[in-house]
Amino acid sequence: MPEGLIVKALSGYYYVQNVEGGLPIQCRGRGIFKKRGESPLVGDRVVYSETENGEGTVEQILPRTSELIRPQIANADLAILVFSVVRPELSLVLLDKFLVHTEHAGMDAIIVLTKMDRIPEGPEGEGIRGAIDKAKALYTSIGYQVVLTSAHQGEGMDQLREALAGHINMLAGQSGVGKSSLVNALVPGLKLETNEISDKLGRGKHTTRHVELVPIDGGGYMADTPGFSQLDFAELGIDEIGSCFREFAKLSATCKFRGCTHTHEPHCAVLQAKDQGIIGESRYDNYVNFMTEWKENKRRY
Ligand SMILES: Nc1nc2c(ncn2[C@@H]2O[C@H](COP(=O)(O)OP(=O)(O)OP(=O)(O)O)[C@@H](O)[C@H]2O)c(=O)[nH]1
Ligand SMILES: [Mg+2]
Ligand SMILES: [Zn+2]
């Protein structure tokens, strides 16, 4: 039986791209998946059979290398965390949240800042540029690649293309930051739907409604996804927040106590590094806030 990749899932159908090319085939899932509580996901490699009407049936889901609930995708190996520098403005809290999520899933991540062309002239713009430079230096020092882009003017697109080639890339970010615009800019001829930011709310309009894999130059795929900004660690089963902060994880081996929470313990390597300015202040503050939030939410599960 042929093998393929689910590139889209919509209204009970899975669109399976044969490994050898051609147009995706519209498939139903086998009834047994439902009974077993399994559900094929975009990104799944599957075995399928073809029926007489040109449609098909997903017969078997091949083993996954990764699986995310939000956005729902299997086998993605690189997360592209997308933030706009204006409208909506850059939020390091949300960025650190997304990073906890991807680190927990064992995925590598790169950070893409969009709408560089929209930074205004004058003092306000200088403030924004200053914050971008600081964020870029901070996250680069932790080991994340940071790419500054403009989907409208092409800035950063070559660098991004190089980083994406050969991977199954998953875009993640708030509604309206420009995820679909990035995919359109990277893939010639593609016209995914995009939408103006709501003037009233200053937020996106949740234009993209489903996850879809688009083939990219140099091999690999890029998954456009619906925007989201809520991540509840307790709900997602994440309970090792400290190990999801890369620079903390390295240091914590030398904390005096095993299971150190890096908040009040004596001889804590993370606290020492924070006092010496080796760990970014915003990173540490976000860590403490996430831990508090997590404790509160955990009671509900
Ligand atoms: N000036 C400027 N505007 C951009 C850029 N990228 C995206 N935009 C605009 O930002 C708005 C939102 O872009 P989308 O691509 O729809 O955002 P999205 O992240 O896909 O949003 P959802 O699908 O709702 O999650 C649109 O009006 C885009 O034209 C950019 O690089 N520069
Ligand atoms: Mg979109
Ligand atoms: Zn510690």
Side-chain angles (χ1 to χ4, degrees):
M1 270 191 279
E3 279 183 30
L5 174 75
I6 300 183
V7 292
K8 189 163 85 169
L10 211 58
S11 315
Y13 279 108
Y14 302 101
Y15 295 81
V16 179
Q17 173 71 62
N18 185 285
V19 281
E20 283 167 14
L23 285 176
I25 297 155
Q26 184 170 315
C27 297
R28 292 278 186 195
R30 272 178 66 191
I32 189 89
F33 291 140
K34 211 168 230 165
K35 269 188 227 142
R36 288 199 212 129
E38 282 177 44
S39 146
L41 295 176
V42 173
D44 266 327
R45 293 181 184 89
V46 297
V47 175
Y48 66 98
S49 57
E50 284 170 277
T51 41
E52 275 149 24
N53 58 3
E55 293 193 356
T57 307
V58 175
E59 300 285 347
Q60 189 194 343
I61 305 169
L62 299 173
R64 293 173 179 155
T65 57
S66 73
E67 181 183 337
L68 270 195
I69 300 174
R70 186 168 284 191
Q72 264 212 330
I73 188 166
N75 299 322
D77 65 332
L78 185 63
I80 315 299
L81 306 183
V82 186
F83 288 83
S84 51
V85 294
V86 280
R87 289 207 13 126
E89 66 187 32
L90 176 59
S91 157
L92 297 189
V93 176
L94 202 55
L95 173 52
D96 284 340
K97 238 181 203 181
F98 282 16
L99 284 172
V100 168
H101 188 44
T102 53
E103 290 292 331
H104 180 260
M107 275 168 104
D108 201 4
I110 69 172
I111 298 162
V112 173
L113 303 185
T114 61
K115 309 193 190 180
M116 287 297 290
D117 62 287
R118 279 212 66 177
I119 302 174
E121 301 285 325
E124 190 199 340
E126 276 161 36
I128 293 170
R129 281 184 198 280
I132 294 169
D133 290 345
K134 240 176 103 180
K136 182 167 180 185
L138 171 61
Y139 289 95
T140 307
S141 77
I142 300 167
Y144 297 108
Q145 189 182 354
V146 180
V147 188
L148 310 184
T149 69
S150 161
H152 288 187
Q153 295 186 350
E155 179 181 348
M157 288 302 142
D158 288 341
Q159 199 189 340
L160 193 55
R161 242 179 232 117
E162 206 173 296
L164 301 183
H167 294 281
I168 294 197
N169 303 280
M170 169 202 85
L171 294 165
Q174 273 171 286
S175 178
V177 293
K179 297 178 295 300
S180 302
S181 303
L182 271 183
V183 184
N184 285 340
L186 283 167
V187 180
L190 194 70
K191 286 200 178 64
L192 296 175
E193 192 188 353
T194 65
N195 233 320
E196 300 285 303
I197 301 294
S198 149
D199 274 333
K200 219 165 57 198
L201 302 169
R203 285 194 248 119
K205 293 175 180 159
H206 293 283
T207 307
T208 304
R209 295 283 178 181
H210 60 268
V211 181
E212 179 167 357
L213 284 174
V214 177
I216 51 172
D217 258 6
Y221 288 84
M222 194 168 180
D224 192 15
T225 68
F228 63 96
S229 52
Q230 298 298 322
L231 278 178
D232 182 331
F233 296 148
E235 183 187 359
L236 293 167
I238 300 177
D239 47 15
E240 267 293 321
I241 297 179
S243 61
C244 298
F245 280 70
R246 264 190 203 177
E247 71 278 43
F248 296 18
K250 277 189 214 138
L251 288 165
S252 64
T254 50
C255 290
K256 182 167 179 195
F257 296 102
R258 266 188 58 190
C260 181
T261 65
H262 321 308
T263 48
H264 59 272
E265 294 88 345
H267 306 291
C268 166
V270 172
L271 281 170
Q272 276 165 16
K274 179 192 80 127
D275 293 339
Q276 291 163 2
I278 298 168
I279 282 180
E281 215 171 302
S282 62
R283 291 278 288 172
Y284 187 79
D285 293 346
N286 288 339
Y287 166 72
V288 172
N289 290 334
F290 295 170
M291 289 286 278
T292 311
E293 193 180 298
W294 171 76
K295 273 184 214 142
E296 280 165 10
N297 290 343
K298 198 163 167 62
R299 278 190 231 121
R300 292 194 277 125
Y301 295 98

